[in-house]
Amino acid sequence: MTAAPAAVRLREHQVAGLAALRAWTVRARRRTPRPDGERVTYVSATGRSYHRAHGHLAPRQDARWGGTDRDSVAIGRLVANLRRQGDLGKDPERAAARAARPAEIDPDRNCPWPLDWQRRYRGCAGPAADEPDGRLPAIAPGVVFDGDDLGAWLARRRRAWPGPADEQRRRLALLGVAPPERRTAAHPAPAPTAAFAHGVQALDRFTAREGAGAAPSRGHVETLVVNGEELPHRLGIRYADARRRRARLAAARRAHLTALGVSWA
């Protein structure tokens, strides 16, 4: 047999060398299983480092922390797994020990509300702590901190009040966040219109004559004296129309009708 050309042998050596390099790289990057105690210490160290930098342990789901992209820890997925029921192991004692470490770092680590709410709340609590009265300064929509629009979030909290749970409302109140004040009417309620006033007067005359609770027939006309002149008022039609539209009558008008003994008002 003739020997393979030198170029072919060199190519074979290159392919074999690349395959060996890939295999070595895979073995080197493969993480060996950690003992339980070492794993808990590793999680605690990562959590403490993140908490010192951010003031909370409520990262985004896709957040990474520490080192380069290659060496960083998927802190968001790690915290989400710690919050998941049954993810801390089947042994109750071991699960309790694993849950206690993150709770020592951040007591709100397992808060009953979403981590997104907790992260934005802590983002607002930082500026409030720097104020003399501990109240949050005005933050307009568009002010972004750590990827969250805190101004827009606060505006939604005020509009949705009292949406959150009692504890969430208490925390927001400590920051000075409160629902918007209800606007009071600048002018008193307008007086009844002339037509309605005439109707009340006509019904009053009819009730005084026929008795409380009596209803006029649809064709009934009551004669009123307005400014010294007699004015025929079609009380029956007005009465029927008011009864048909009773769900849309203003409270003040229904009160007038109730005082005259109208049962459906």
Short mmCIF file of all heavy atoms in Angstrom, two decimals, residues 16-62:
data_model
loop_
_atom_site.label_atom_id
_atom_site.label_comp_id
_atom_site.label_asym_id
_atom_site.label_seq_id
_atom_site.Cartn_x
_atom_site.Cartn_y
_atom_site.Cartn_z
N ALA A 16 -8.24 15.35 14.24
CA ALA A 16 -8.15 14.63 15.51
C ALA A 16 -7.81 15.58 16.66
O ALA A 16 -8.34 15.46 17.76
CB ALA A 16 -7.09 13.54 15.40
N GLY A 17 -6.94 16.57 16.36
CA GLY A 17 -6.58 17.52 17.41
C GLY A 17 -7.75 18.39 17.82
O GLY A 17 -7.97 18.65 19.00
N LEU A 18 -8.55 18.84 16.84
CA LEU A 18 -9.72 19.66 17.14
C LEU A 18 -10.75 18.86 17.93
O LEU A 18 -11.38 19.38 18.87
CB LEU A 18 -10.35 20.18 15.85
CG LEU A 18 -9.55 21.28 15.12
CD1 LEU A 18 -10.20 21.57 13.77
CD2 LEU A 18 -9.48 22.54 15.95
N ALA A 19 -10.94 17.60 17.58
CA ALA A 19 -11.89 16.76 18.32
C ALA A 19 -11.43 16.58 19.76
O ALA A 19 -12.24 16.64 20.70
CB ALA A 19 -12.03 15.41 17.63
N ALA A 20 -10.14 16.36 19.94
CA ALA A 20 -9.63 16.20 21.30
C ALA A 20 -9.77 17.49 22.10
O ALA A 20 -10.09 17.48 23.29
CB ALA A 20 -8.16 15.77 21.24
N LEU A 21 -9.55 18.63 21.45
CA LEU A 21 -9.68 19.92 22.13
C LEU A 21 -11.14 20.16 22.54
O LEU A 21 -11.40 20.63 23.65
CB LEU A 21 -9.20 21.04 21.21
CG LEU A 21 -9.31 22.46 21.77
CD1 LEU A 21 -8.46 22.60 23.02
CD2 LEU A 21 -8.88 23.47 20.72
N ARG A 22 -12.06 19.83 21.66
CA ARG A 22 -13.47 20.00 22.00
C ARG A 22 -13.86 19.11 23.18
O ARG A 22 -14.56 19.52 24.09
CB ARG A 22 -14.35 19.67 20.79
CG ARG A 22 -14.24 20.66 19.64
CD ARG A 22 -15.36 20.44 18.65
NE ARG A 22 -15.17 21.27 17.46
CZ ARG A 22 -14.65 20.83 16.33
NH1 ARG A 22 -14.24 19.56 16.22
NH2 ARG A 22 -14.50 21.63 15.30
N ALA A 23 -13.41 17.87 23.18
CA ALA A 23 -13.73 16.96 24.27
C ALA A 23 -13.15 17.46 25.58
O ALA A 23 -13.81 17.41 26.63
CB ALA A 23 -13.20 15.56 23.95
N TRP A 24 -11.92 17.99 25.54
CA TRP A 24 -11.30 18.51 26.78
C TRP A 24 -12.05 19.73 27.28
O TRP A 24 -12.26 19.90 28.50
CB TRP A 24 -9.85 18.87 26.48
CG TRP A 24 -9.13 19.42 27.69
CD1 TRP A 24 -8.49 18.72 28.64
CD2 TRP A 24 -9.00 20.80 28.03
NE1 TRP A 24 -7.97 19.56 29.59
CE2 TRP A 24 -8.26 20.86 29.24
CE3 TRP A 24 -9.44 22.00 27.45
CZ2 TRP A 24 -7.95 22.06 29.87
CZ3 TRP A 24 -9.13 23.18 28.08
CH2 TRP A 24 -8.40 23.21 29.28
N THR A 25 -12.48 20.59 26.35
CA THR A 25 -13.21 21.80 26.76
C THR A 25 -14.54 21.44 27.41
O THR A 25 -14.93 22.03 28.42
CB THR A 25 -13.46 22.68 25.52
OG1 THR A 25 -12.20 23.00 24.91
CG2 THR A 25 -14.17 23.96 25.92
N VAL A 26 -15.25 20.46 26.84
CA VAL A 26 -16.51 20.03 27.42
C VAL A 26 -16.29 19.48 28.81
O VAL A 26 -17.03 19.78 29.75
CB VAL A 26 -17.20 19.00 26.51
CG1 VAL A 26 -18.40 18.36 27.22
CG2 VAL A 26 -17.65 19.66 25.21
N ARG A 27 -15.24 18.64 28.98
CA ARG A 27 -14.97 18.09 30.31
C ARG A 27 -14.59 19.18 31.30
O ARG A 27 -14.96 19.13 32.48
CB ARG A 27 -13.85 17.06 30.21
CG ARG A 27 -14.25 15.76 29.52
CD ARG A 27 -13.23 14.69 29.79
NE ARG A 27 -11.90 15.07 29.35
CZ ARG A 27 -11.40 14.86 28.12
NH1 ARG A 27 -12.19 14.26 27.21
NH2 ARG A 27 -10.20 15.24 27.80
N ALA A 28 -13.85 20.18 30.85
CA ALA A 28 -13.41 21.24 31.75
C ALA A 28 -14.57 22.14 32.18
O ALA A 28 -14.59 22.65 33.31
CB ALA A 28 -12.32 22.08 31.08
N ARG A 29 -15.51 22.40 31.28
CA ARG A 29 -16.62 23.30 31.59
C ARG A 29 -17.77 22.60 32.31
O ARG A 29 -18.65 23.25 32.85
CB ARG A 29 -17.15 23.92 30.31
CG ARG A 29 -16.15 24.86 29.64
CD ARG A 29 -16.73 25.45 28.38
NE ARG A 29 -17.94 26.22 28.63
CZ ARG A 29 -18.68 26.77 27.68
NH1 ARG A 29 -18.32 26.63 26.41
NH2 ARG A 29 -19.76 27.46 27.98
N ARG A 30 -17.75 21.26 32.28
CA ARG A 30 -18.82 20.53 32.95
C ARG A 30 -18.67 20.67 34.46
O ARG A 30 -17.60 20.39 35.01
CB ARG A 30 -18.79 19.07 32.53
CG ARG A 30 -19.96 18.26 33.13
CD ARG A 30 -19.88 16.83 32.67
NE ARG A 30 -19.98 16.75 31.22
CZ ARG A 30 -19.31 15.89 30.46
NH1 ARG A 30 -18.45 15.08 31.01
NH2 ARG A 30 -19.47 15.89 29.16
N ARG A 31 -19.71 21.10 35.13
CA ARG A 31 -19.64 21.32 36.57
C ARG A 31 -19.87 20.00 37.30
O ARG A 31 -20.83 19.29 37.03
CB ARG A 31 -20.66 22.34 37.03
CG ARG A 31 -20.40 23.73 36.49
CD ARG A 31 -21.41 24.70 37.02
NE ARG A 31 -21.10 26.07 36.61
CZ ARG A 31 -21.83 27.12 36.92
NH1 ARG A 31 -22.90 26.97 37.67
NH2 ARG A 31 -21.49 28.32 36.51
N THR A 32 -19.04 19.73 38.25
CA THR A 32 -19.21 18.54 39.07
C THR A 32 -20.24 18.82 40.15
O THR A 32 -20.33 19.93 40.64
CB THR A 32 -17.87 18.15 39.72
OG1 THR A 32 -17.41 19.26 40.49
CG2 THR A 32 -16.83 17.80 38.67
N PRO A 33 -21.03 17.84 40.52
CA PRO A 33 -22.06 18.07 41.55
C PRO A 33 -21.44 18.53 42.87
O PRO A 33 -20.42 18.00 43.31
CB PRO A 33 -22.72 16.69 41.68
CG PRO A 33 -22.40 15.96 40.43
CD PRO A 33 -21.06 16.47 39.99
N ARG A 34 -22.04 19.54 43.47
CA ARG A 34 -21.56 20.05 44.75
C ARG A 34 -22.24 19.31 45.89
O ARG A 34 -23.41 18.97 45.81
CB ARG A 34 -21.88 21.55 44.88
CG ARG A 34 -21.14 22.45 43.93
CD ARG A 34 -21.47 23.89 44.29
NE ARG A 34 -20.70 24.82 43.50
CZ ARG A 34 -21.06 25.29 42.32
NH1 ARG A 34 -22.20 24.87 41.81
NH2 ARG A 34 -20.30 26.13 41.66
N PRO A 35 -21.54 19.08 47.01
CA PRO A 35 -22.22 18.58 48.21
C PRO A 35 -23.27 19.58 48.65
O PRO A 35 -23.19 20.76 48.35
CB PRO A 35 -21.07 18.46 49.23
CG PRO A 35 -19.83 18.42 48.42
CD PRO A 35 -20.11 19.23 47.19
N ASP A 36 -24.27 19.09 49.40
CA ASP A 36 -25.38 19.96 49.77
C ASP A 36 -24.92 21.19 50.53
O ASP A 36 -25.37 22.30 50.26
CB ASP A 36 -26.39 19.17 50.61
CG ASP A 36 -27.65 19.98 50.87
OD1 ASP A 36 -28.38 20.25 49.91
OD2 ASP A 36 -27.89 20.34 52.03
N GLY A 37 -24.03 21.02 51.51
CA GLY A 37 -23.55 22.16 52.28
C GLY A 37 -22.85 23.18 51.42
O GLY A 37 -23.04 24.38 51.57
N GLU A 38 -22.06 22.71 50.47
CA GLU A 38 -21.36 23.64 49.57
C GLU A 38 -22.35 24.36 48.67
O GLU A 38 -22.19 25.55 48.37
CB GLU A 38 -20.33 22.88 48.75
CG GLU A 38 -19.50 23.78 47.84
CD GLU A 38 -18.50 22.99 47.02
OE1 GLU A 38 -18.29 21.80 47.34
OE2 GLU A 38 -17.96 23.57 46.07
N ARG A 39 -23.41 23.66 48.24
CA ARG A 39 -24.41 24.28 47.37
C ARG A 39 -25.14 25.39 48.11
O ARG A 39 -25.37 26.48 47.57
CB ARG A 39 -25.41 23.22 46.89
CG ARG A 39 -26.52 23.78 46.00
CD ARG A 39 -27.45 22.68 45.53
NE ARG A 39 -28.49 23.20 44.67
CZ ARG A 39 -29.62 23.71 45.09
NH1 ARG A 39 -29.86 23.78 46.38
NH2 ARG A 39 -30.52 24.17 44.24
N VAL A 40 -25.53 25.14 49.36
CA VAL A 40 -26.23 26.16 50.14
C VAL A 40 -25.34 27.37 50.36
O VAL A 40 -25.77 28.52 50.27
CB VAL A 40 -26.70 25.56 51.49
CG1 VAL A 40 -27.27 26.65 52.38
CG2 VAL A 40 -27.74 24.48 51.25
N THR A 41 -24.04 27.12 50.65
CA THR A 41 -23.11 28.23 50.84
C THR A 41 -22.96 29.03 49.55
O THR A 41 -22.91 30.27 49.56
CB THR A 41 -21.73 27.69 51.28
OG1 THR A 41 -21.90 26.93 52.48
CG2 THR A 41 -20.77 28.83 51.52
N TYR A 42 -22.92 28.33 48.41
CA TYR A 42 -22.79 28.99 47.11
C TYR A 42 -24.01 29.87 46.83
O TYR A 42 -23.89 31.02 46.41
CB TYR A 42 -22.63 27.90 46.05
CG TYR A 42 -22.87 28.35 44.64
CD1 TYR A 42 -21.91 29.09 43.95
CD2 TYR A 42 -24.05 28.02 43.96
CE1 TYR A 42 -22.13 29.49 42.65
CE2 TYR A 42 -24.27 28.41 42.67
CZ TYR A 42 -23.31 29.14 42.02
OH TYR A 42 -23.53 29.54 40.74
N VAL A 43 -25.21 29.34 47.11
CA VAL A 43 -26.44 30.12 46.91
C VAL A 43 -26.46 31.33 47.83
O VAL A 43 -26.81 32.44 47.42
CB VAL A 43 -27.67 29.23 47.14
CG1 VAL A 43 -28.95 30.07 47.14
CG2 VAL A 43 -27.77 28.15 46.07
N SER A 44 -26.04 31.14 49.09
CA SER A 44 -26.06 32.25 50.04
C SER A 44 -25.09 33.33 49.62
O SER A 44 -25.40 34.53 49.70
CB SER A 44 -25.71 31.73 51.44
OG SER A 44 -26.66 30.79 51.88
N ALA A 45 -23.89 32.95 49.19
CA ALA A 45 -22.90 33.95 48.79
C ALA A 45 -23.39 34.75 47.59
O ALA A 45 -23.23 35.97 47.53
CB ALA A 45 -21.58 33.27 48.48
N THR A 46 -23.99 34.06 46.63
CA THR A 46 -24.52 34.76 45.45
C THR A 46 -25.65 35.70 45.84
O THR A 46 -25.70 36.85 45.40
CB THR A 46 -25.02 33.74 44.43
OG1 THR A 46 -23.97 32.82 44.11
CG2 THR A 46 -25.49 34.43 43.16
N GLY A 47 -26.56 35.22 46.71
CA GLY A 47 -27.66 36.06 47.13
C GLY A 47 -27.21 37.28 47.93
O GLY A 47 -27.73 38.38 47.74
N ARG A 48 -26.24 37.10 48.82
CA ARG A 48 -25.75 38.23 49.61
C ARG A 48 -25.09 39.28 48.72
O ARG A 48 -25.27 40.48 48.91
CB ARG A 48 -24.76 37.74 50.66
CG ARG A 48 -25.39 36.93 51.77
CD ARG A 48 -24.37 36.55 52.84
NE ARG A 48 -24.95 35.59 53.76
CZ ARG A 48 -25.74 35.92 54.76
NH1 ARG A 48 -26.05 37.18 54.98
NH2 ARG A 48 -26.23 34.98 55.57
N SER A 49 -24.35 38.82 47.74
CA SER A 49 -23.69 39.75 46.84
C SER A 49 -24.71 40.56 46.06
O SER A 49 -24.59 41.79 45.91
CB SER A 49 -22.76 38.99 45.90
OG SER A 49 -22.21 39.84 44.92
N TYR A 50 -25.74 39.90 45.55
CA TYR A 50 -26.77 40.59 44.78
C TYR A 50 -27.55 41.55 45.69
O TYR A 50 -27.85 42.68 45.29
CB TYR A 50 -27.71 39.57 44.15
CG TYR A 50 -28.75 40.19 43.23
CD1 TYR A 50 -28.48 40.38 41.89
CD2 TYR A 50 -29.99 40.58 43.73
CE1 TYR A 50 -29.43 40.96 41.05
CE2 TYR A 50 -30.93 41.16 42.91
CZ TYR A 50 -30.65 41.34 41.57
OH TYR A 50 -31.58 41.91 40.74
N HIS A 51 -27.85 41.13 46.91
CA HIS A 51 -28.62 41.96 47.83
C HIS A 51 -27.85 43.21 48.24
O HIS A 51 -28.43 44.29 48.37
CB HIS A 51 -29.01 41.14 49.06
CG HIS A 51 -29.96 41.83 49.98
ND1 HIS A 51 -29.54 42.65 51.00
CD2 HIS A 51 -31.32 41.86 50.01
CE1 HIS A 51 -30.59 43.14 51.63
NE2 HIS A 51 -31.68 42.67 51.05
N ARG A 52 -26.56 43.08 48.45
CA ARG A 52 -25.75 44.25 48.80
C ARG A 52 -25.77 45.29 47.69
O ARG A 52 -25.76 46.49 47.95
CB ARG A 52 -24.30 43.83 49.10
CG ARG A 52 -24.08 43.27 50.48
CD ARG A 52 -22.61 43.23 50.83
NE ARG A 52 -21.84 42.43 49.88
CZ ARG A 52 -21.59 41.14 50.04
NH1 ARG A 52 -22.04 40.51 51.11
NH2 ARG A 52 -20.88 40.47 49.15
N ALA A 53 -25.81 44.84 46.47
CA ALA A 53 -25.77 45.76 45.33
C ALA A 53 -27.13 46.36 45.01
O ALA A 53 -27.20 47.51 44.55
CB ALA A 53 -25.20 45.05 44.11
N HIS A 54 -28.21 45.63 45.24
CA HIS A 54 -29.53 46.07 44.79
C HIS A 54 -30.50 46.37 45.93
O HIS A 54 -31.53 47.01 45.69
CB HIS A 54 -30.17 45.01 43.88
CG HIS A 54 -29.42 44.78 42.60
ND1 HIS A 54 -28.31 43.96 42.53
CD2 HIS A 54 -29.60 45.27 41.35
CE1 HIS A 54 -27.86 43.94 41.29
NE2 HIS A 54 -28.62 44.73 40.55
N GLY A 55 -30.23 45.89 47.12
CA GLY A 55 -31.13 46.15 48.24
C GLY A 55 -32.33 45.23 48.29
O GLY A 55 -33.25 45.45 49.08
N HIS A 56 -32.38 44.21 47.47
CA HIS A 56 -33.48 43.26 47.47
C HIS A 56 -33.02 41.96 46.85
O HIS A 56 -31.91 41.87 46.29
CB HIS A 56 -34.68 43.80 46.67
CG HIS A 56 -34.37 44.07 45.23
ND1 HIS A 56 -34.30 43.08 44.28
CD2 HIS A 56 -34.10 45.23 44.57
CE1 HIS A 56 -34.01 43.61 43.10
NE2 HIS A 56 -33.88 44.91 43.25
N LEU A 57 -33.84 40.96 46.99
CA LEU A 57 -33.57 39.66 46.38
C LEU A 57 -34.78 39.31 45.49
O LEU A 57 -35.38 38.26 45.61
CB LEU A 57 -33.36 38.59 47.45
CG LEU A 57 -32.54 37.35 47.05
CD1 LEU A 57 -31.18 37.77 46.54
CD2 LEU A 57 -32.38 36.41 48.24
N ALA A 58 -35.09 40.25 44.60
CA ALA A 58 -36.23 40.10 43.69
C ALA A 58 -35.78 40.40 42.26
O ALA A 58 -36.30 41.33 41.63
CB ALA A 58 -37.37 41.02 44.11
N PRO A 59 -34.82 39.66 41.74
CA PRO A 59 -34.33 39.96 40.39
C PRO A 59 -35.34 39.57 39.32
O PRO A 59 -36.30 38.85 39.57
CB PRO A 59 -33.07 39.10 40.30
CG PRO A 59 -33.35 37.94 41.20
CD PRO A 59 -34.18 38.48 42.34
N ARG A 60 -35.08 40.09 38.13
CA ARG A 60 -35.89 39.66 36.99
C ARG A 60 -35.63 38.18 36.71
O ARG A 60 -34.61 37.63 37.08
CB ARG A 60 -35.52 40.48 35.75
CG ARG A 60 -35.84 41.95 35.88
CD ARG A 60 -35.37 42.69 34.63
NE ARG A 60 -35.70 44.10 34.71
CZ ARG A 60 -36.87 44.61 34.37
NH1 ARG A 60 -37.81 43.81 33.90
NH2 ARG A 60 -37.11 45.90 34.49
N GLN A 61 -36.57 37.56 36.02
CA GLN A 61 -36.46 36.13 35.74
C GLN A 61 -35.21 35.82 34.92
O GLN A 61 -34.59 34.77 35.10
CB GLN A 61 -37.71 35.66 34.98
CG GLN A 61 -37.77 34.17 34.72
CD GLN A 61 -38.24 33.36 35.91
OE1 GLN A 61 -38.73 33.94 36.86
NE2 GLN A 61 -38.06 32.05 35.87
N ASP A 62 -34.81 36.74 34.03
CA ASP A 62 -33.66 36.48 33.16
C ASP A 62 -32.38 37.14 33.67
O ASP A 62 -31.39 37.20 32.93
CB ASP A 62 -33.96 36.96 31.74
CG ASP A 62 -34.30 38.45 31.70
OD1 ASP A 62 -34.48 39.06 32.78
OD2 ASP A 62 -34.38 39.00 30.59
#
